Structure formats: C-alpha cells, structure tokens
Amino acid sequence: MRGLPHFSYAFRRLVSVGLFFAASSAGFGQTVSVGWTDPGYAGNVNPSGVETVFQLAGAAAYVDGAVTTAVFGWSNSPCPAAVKIKFFRPVPYPRGALFLTERGPFDVTQPLMSSGAGPPVTQTVIFNPPVQLRAGDIIAITNLTSCGGPTFARYIPSPNPLPPPYSVAVPGDVVSSVILPNPPYGLPVFVAAFGTGPTLELLRRFRVDLVAVDPRTGRQTVGSPILLTLSGSAAYFSLPDFTGDPTFPEVMVKMVDATRTPSLGGTFWFFHSPLTDVQYTIMVTDLRNGSVRTYTNASASPGQLCGGVDTSAFRP
C-alpha cells in the first residue's frame, strides 16, 4: 500500500449503482451506504498477494440498515471468483476490527475501460441475503486471485478539513477480528455498499411498515422498502425472505399531498397495490401527530390481486 500525506477531503461523492435506491436522499430516512466511491481514479492497489483492504475514517455506515448491493473498482477483467466484500465493526482500544460477515466470491465481468476518469473496471454486485449493518460499521474488499485488484479513489484537498477516509491492507482473506496496522495508511479504496434502512418515510412525514404472510406456508416476514422518487412520494417493498431478491418489487405504495387542493378533499391520499399473491398488512403512521391507518389485502381471493386507495387518509 502507498502511504498518504494528511490530505483533507471536500466531500464524499457516491457513484450511482443504477438501482432505484441509489437515487434517493439520506434525508428521507431510509437510505444507507458504507464505503467510498468517486468518479475519479487514483491508481491501483496492486496487491502482492491475497490481502484485505479496509476502508477507514470518513466511510463508515452513518445509519443502521441493510445493504443489498455494492460497487467497486477493479484493475482487470474478466476475473472469475476474484473478489469478496467484507464488513467489520471498529474496535477503538486497541485499534482493530470485529469481523461481521462477507459476501462473495464475485466475478469481475464488466469490460475494461481504455480511457476516462473512472477505474479500469467498475463492477456492481448484489448481496443475497442482504447484510445488516449498524451505524459506524466499515467495509473491506479482498482480492482472491492475482487477476487484478482493487483501485484507489480520487481524493480532493479542501481548505475546510474533513476526516480523511484512509484505507489499510491486511495480508490474507480476513475472516476473523484483527488488529489494524498503524499509519501510514493508503488512499481511499474504491468500494461501497448501498441499501435501505429499517423504515420507509413517504413525503418526509409518514412512516410506512409492511408485514407479509405467505398463504401457502404461513411464514411471516417484513417488507424491505426501496424509494422510487426523489420527492419521497412513492416506493415499493421487496420480500427477500420469500424471494431471495432484495430488489424484486412485490408491493407498491404511494402518497399524494392534496392538502392544498380543497376540490380534492384537502387531505393526504394513500395508495397500495400488490404485485404478488401473498397477504400483507401495511401500517402508515403520521410522524407529526402520531395517528395511524392500517391497510390489508388479506381478504383477497386466490388469483385476485386487490390493492386500495384512501383519499381521506390523513388531515394536514
């Protein structure tokens, strides 16, 4: 690993991974990310052997939640079964990291880019099952072969110092808790994971929770929300415990603010629509005054997919 002087950083710029939730804002209360990505490219890690590179300060998860996808930079392609993504919980005394879990091995399949500001390869992968994180948890990336390796992200000096997201390498495919080496640390490594926090908020005011029951088995699970609009008005719930796919839409929800339109009732409207035959119950809570409404499709007959609309759901 190359050493890094004490540069400061102007911002963390997260690269869109092309999924719905990557476009949403942390202000809606349901998006979680961990790690560092940036369109800039600052070279390759060039590991001499198998090693695990930890992303440190400035790149930890900032809220609790479940990450469902990751994006990372790589120096070569194609590279089968070349990468693992790992998650750790920092231990301050002594400076170390508690191993949580890992996903992979993943293939690197995207073509090499001959030019441009980004890494030679930018690869996106899906976690199945999702990884549950707490605020403060960190991410690491491991090269399992000599076919390429991780890449460094660009750093941007700033007159307003921010914590630098250094990285540090530990030899081997780390699957246990470790004491991290002392400085100097390397540049920020290009790896991040994205997903959803524990709750969904529509219109920045209404918390929406969903519980689903498989009518064939009686098994129960909670929905995993993914926001669809930057305005925070629409989302869908996936049911990864049933489908194994944390990004697969199963129930759509939407809220409309008609409070400034008396001819439409002057209320908030709530819509829900199933894309599945499972039975579900949705609870909508007004975070401003605590009022609650509950909606269900439990009475739907087999083969009938019945949603609903409530045009007087909540008052201003």
Side-chain angles (χ1 to χ4, degrees), residues 20-32 62-63 195-208 225-235 287:
F20 291 123
F21 52 76
S24 61
S25 165
F28 295 135
Q30 87 298 328
T31 302
V32 59
Y62 57 91
V63 294
T196 55
T199 61
L200 169 69
E201 292 179 19
L202 293 182
L203 301 181
R204 304 191 183 187
R205 173 170 169 173
F206 298 96
R207 172 173 169 169
V208 184
I226 296 178
L227 198 66
L228 292 175
T229 62
L230 291 175
S231 64
S233 60
L287 298 175

Side-chain angles (χ1 to χ4, degrees), residues 267-272 293-295 308-314:
T267 58
F268 293 97
W269 296 9
F270 179 71
F271 300 77
H272 64 97
R293 291 290 185 95
T294 301
Y295 307 91
V309 55
D310 185 349
T311 59
S312 60
F314 296 91

Side-chain angles (χ1 to χ4, degrees), residues 136-247:
D137 291 344
I138 59 176
I139 193 171
I141 185 170
T142 300
N143 66 291
L144 300 175
T145 72
S146 59
C147 182
T151 64
F152 291 116
R154 181 177 62 189
Y155 60 89
I156 302 174
S158 167
N160 301 311
L162 296 174
Y166 298 141
S167 63
V168 63
V170 174
D173 180 10
V174 178
V175 292
S176 62
S177 301
V178 296
I179 302 299
L180 297 177
N182 293 321
Y185 296 146
L187 294 164
V189 70
F190 190 111
V191 59
F194 305 86
T196 55
T199 61
L200 169 69
E201 292 179 19
L202 293 182
L203 301 181
R204 304 191 183 187
R205 173 170 169 173
F206 298 96
R207 172 173 169 169
V208 184
D209 298 284
L210 181 142
V211 176
V213 179
D214 188 333
R216 289 164 290 276
T217 64
R219 185 182 177 191
Q220 179 175 300
T221 189
V222 296
S224 178
I226 296 178
L227 198 66
L228 292 175
T229 62
L230 291 175
S231 64
S233 60
Y236 73 79
F237 285 93
S238 65
L239 301 173
D241 285 349
F242 290 170
T243 66
D245 186 345
T247 66

Side-chain angles (χ1 to χ4, degrees), residues 249-267:
E250 294 282 15
V251 180
M252 306 292 296
V253 292
K254 182 178 76 171
M255 291 201 77
V256 174
D257 183 355
T259 58
R260 299 181 181 179
T261 311
S263 62
L264 297 179
T267 58

Side-chain angles (χ1 to χ4, degrees), residues 90-129:
V91 179
Y93 303 108
R95 184 178 179 88
L98 175 68
F99 176 73
L100 298 177
T101 191
E102 66 179 12
R103 294 292 184 268
F106 296 111
D107 301 333
V108 178
T109 59
Q110 292 299 306
L112 278 165
M113 301 294 292
S114 59
S115 62
V121 182
T122 300
Q123 183 71 45
T124 299
V125 295
I126 300 295
F127 295 154
N128 185 14

Side-chain angles (χ1 to χ4, degrees), residues 33-82:
S33 67
V34 56
W36 173 284
T37 60
D38 187 274
Y41 166 60
N44 302 326
V45 174
N46 293 326
S48 58
V50 175
E51 67 180 27
T52 299
V53 186
F54 291 76
Q55 192 73 284
L56 299 180
Y62 57 91
V63 294
D64 297 353
V67 289
T68 55
T69 190
V71 60
F72 59 87
W74 205 251
S75 63
N76 194 20
S77 183
C79 295

